[in-house]
Amino acid sequence: LGGSHSVALTSEGHVLTWGRNTLGRLGRVVRDPSPACGFPGRVIFPPLPGGAQWRVSEISAGGRHTLALATKTLPSSVA
């Protein structure tokens, strides 16, 4: 838990965030005009070349930040 936001890690390695989005701490675009988002939403990481994807293994949140430790995974046809 952060100061006024939360972060969760799914078993598939996806990151969900919700709470106050001031300073962009949710790591995603929130369409709600208010600074708070009460519904979990998935954080979309930038695309990687060659069909690789990010897989998050650890998360952490503090008063004004959210962190994710991610590794690059290759598509099964390449591995």
Side-chain angles (χ1 to χ4, degrees):
L1 293 174
S4 54
H5 68 292
S6 298
V7 59
L9 180 61
T10 70
S11 60
E12 295 84 22
H14 301 301
V15 176
L16 304 175
T17 58
W18 63 98
R20 290 184 58 90
N21 195 36
T22 52
L23 305 174
R25 65 185 83 163
L26 294 183
R28 62 186 175 89
V29 174
V30 176
R31 304 257 183 252
D32 184 347
S34 71
C37 177
F39 301 102
R42 185 172 163 195
V43 176
I44 305 298
F45 291 88
L48 294 168
Q53 296 182 350
W54 293 109
R55 180 164 176 89
V56 177
S57 58
E58 296 181 43
I59 54 173
S60 178
R64 295 185 178 190
H65 70 277
T66 304
L67 302 172
L69 178 63
T71 55
K72 180 172 58 172
T73 61
L74 298 175
S76 57
S77 61
V78 175

